[in-house]
Amino acid sequence: MTDTATGSSPAHAVSSHNPQRTGPIVTREDATSTQGRVLTALCRAVVRPLLHLLTYLYALPWPLGLVNMLARFVVIPPRGTHRRSVRLQNCRAEVVRARGVGTVDGSGRAILYLHGGAFLTCGPNTHARIVATLSREAGAPVLSVDYRMMPKSPVDAAVQDSLDGYRWLLDQGYGPERIAVAGDSAGGYLAFMVALSLLKEGQQPPAAIAALSPLTEVDPAGKLNHPNARTDAMFTRRSAVVLQRLMQKAAARVAVDGIVGPLVEPTKEDLSHMPPTLIHASSSEALLRDAEVMADRLAAAGTEVQLKSWAGQVHVFQAAERFVPEARRSLNEIGAFIREQTEA
């Protein structure tokens, strides 16, 4: 890592290309609000033990789809948010517009958002507030994709659904230079895979990627050896091991001649010509390791990339933007970054 700075720094102020740069621009927000500390303490006391228990019970037929269904009544987007369901080839998606944001008509900019949830759970409802806030901060409609998930479908299906979402925006009249792809956790993995898949097909990638605590390495070894494996407020070391196991099991469903293809890791792909990227993560979460490696690899490939870590926060703390001021600042910076990268 290079160019380390301490304190708050607007994302749009550090995205200029520097051909001499050999590393990502790294900043850190050291101040932690009382709300952020309370959220971290609650997650450590309640969420972490529960998620750890589930790593031993993951083989049971849990009704994981209920999480997104129930979230419709719990996660309330800001007043004035407009939501409209659309149908993609193999899944549904939702167009989300904050108050004052124009319709999906091919003018201005647009965002493709890919939710997290370990490829197992969550959806447009659980992430409605993040998506609506991002729509407001970027001044753009957002397509939130309810992609197919494990255990019924492999991660490749989620990648394909994400690409279908991107192409849906193209069909509405948005050019690649006016589309940003954003995602958190597993959705961050998908955001990178969308750009990589387009490049492999010889197509123009989106204008920018914004990743919130992204998963970029399926192999848990790096995370397990990182100091944050013990400081993460939500996930224990076993979580990364079980996730890899579940991804491998789901991939085995589509074996060709009995051979299961390798699980793709964005950090190991050819990252040449990737779009400008902004990554935000907690400074104490296990996935900071994934964020750091991805930022380093992108920078080495010549991509403009900024990594910002936030002290005292939890994994995807932006979901608590209603209560945690750092979450609001993070989404504001991401919105500013998207605005700048998608200017006509």
Side-chain angles (χ1 to χ4, degrees), residues 204-291:
Q204 184 176 341
I209 294 174
L212 292 63
S213 303
L215 171 75
T216 62
E217 292 191 312
V218 178
D219 185 345
K223 286 182 276 289
L224 296 180
N225 292 321
H226 194 279
N228 284 8
R230 290 180 171 82
T231 62
D232 195 301
M234 291 184 67
F235 302 110
T236 60
R237 292 161 58 87
R238 181 175 165 81
S239 299
V241 176
V242 170
L243 178 59
Q244 181 193 39
R245 191 177 302 164
L246 288 169
M247 292 176 71
Q248 291 172 332
K249 184 177 180 179
R253 290 176 173 268
V254 291
V256 178
D257 297 327
I259 300 175
V260 179
L263 294 172
V264 178
E265 295 187 317
T267 55
K268 293 181 172 59
E269 296 295 294
D270 179 4
L271 299 176
S272 303
H273 311 296
M274 287 284 280
T277 299
L278 174 65
I279 303 174
H280 281 195
S282 163
S283 65
S284 57
E285 68 171 311
L287 283 181
L288 178 65
R289 150 78 189 196
D290 288 41

Side-chain angles (χ1 to χ4, degrees), residues 4-289:
T4 303
T6 301
S8 179
S9 175
H12 62 279
V14 292
S15 61
S16 58
H17 179 62
N18 182 350
Q20 303 302 318
R21 187 172 298 284
T22 58
I25 297 174
V26 180
T27 57
R28 175 182 166 106
E29 178 67 55
D30 285 316
T32 307
S33 66
T34 299
Q35 297 94 317
R37 288 193 293 270
V38 169
L39 178 62
T40 298
L42 286 173
C43 287
R44 189 178 301 280
V46 179
V47 178
R48 193 173 193 263
L50 178 60
L51 293 179
H52 182 64
L53 175 62
L54 291 177
T55 64
Y56 291 96
L57 304 174
Y58 65 87
L60 297 177
W62 296 100
L64 297 174
L66 283 176
V67 174
N68 187 56
M69 291 175 60
L70 294 175
R72 182 90 186 185
F73 307 101
V74 178
V75 182
I76 308 301
R79 188 183 300 274
T81 300
H82 181 273
R83 303 168 71 181
R84 174 171 65 91
S85 182
V86 299
R87 185 71 194 176
L88 303 180
Q89 184 171 346
N90 294 296
C91 69
R92 62 176 289 275
E94 187 175 78
V95 176
V96 180
R97 295 185 290 114
R99 175 184 287 173
V101 172
T103 59
V104 177
D105 59 6
S107 65
R109 62 179 65 84
I111 302 170
L112 174 68
Y113 194 88
L114 306 166
H115 69 82
F119 305 111
L120 287 165
T121 187
C122 297
N125 292 334
T126 59
H127 286 64
R129 194 162 186 96
I130 284 183
V131 171
T133 302
L134 192 57
S135 171
R136 182 190 68 212
E137 297 297 335
V142 183
L143 182 69
S144 180
V145 180
D146 193 10
Y147 55 82
R148 290 169 288 173
M149 291 186 282
M150 303 187 300
K152 292 183 179 180
S153 302
V155 173
D156 284 350
V159 175
Q160 186 57 56
D161 292 344
S162 302
L163 284 166
D164 287 344
Y166 179 81
R167 293 181 176 119
W168 186 88
L169 289 174
L170 292 177
D171 290 342
Q172 308 313 304
Y174 296 99
E177 72 282 357
R178 305 308 303 276
I179 300 174
V181 182
D184 65 276
S185 196
Y189 172 99
L190 295 174
F192 289 119
M193 289 305 300
V194 165
L196 286 166
S197 298
L198 291 168
L199 287 169
K200 286 182 179 180
E201 295 172 2
Q203 299 181 37
Q204 184 176 341
I209 294 174
L212 292 63
S213 303
L215 171 75
T216 62
E217 292 191 312
V218 178
D219 185 345
K223 286 182 276 289
L224 296 180
N225 292 321
H226 194 279
N228 284 8
R230 290 180 171 82
T231 62
D232 195 301
M234 291 184 67
F235 302 110
T236 60
R237 292 161 58 87
R238 181 175 165 81
S239 299
V241 176
V242 170
L243 178 59
Q244 181 193 39
R245 191 177 302 164
L246 288 169
M247 292 176 71
Q248 291 172 332
K249 184 177 180 179
R253 290 176 173 268
V254 291
V256 178
D257 297 327
I259 300 175
V260 179
L263 294 172
V264 178
E265 295 187 317
T267 55
K268 293 181 172 59
E269 296 295 294
D270 179 4
L271 299 176
S272 303
H273 311 296
M274 287 284 280
T277 299
L278 174 65
I279 303 174
H280 281 195
S282 163
S283 65
S284 57
E285 68 171 311
L287 283 181
L288 178 65
R289 150 78 189 196

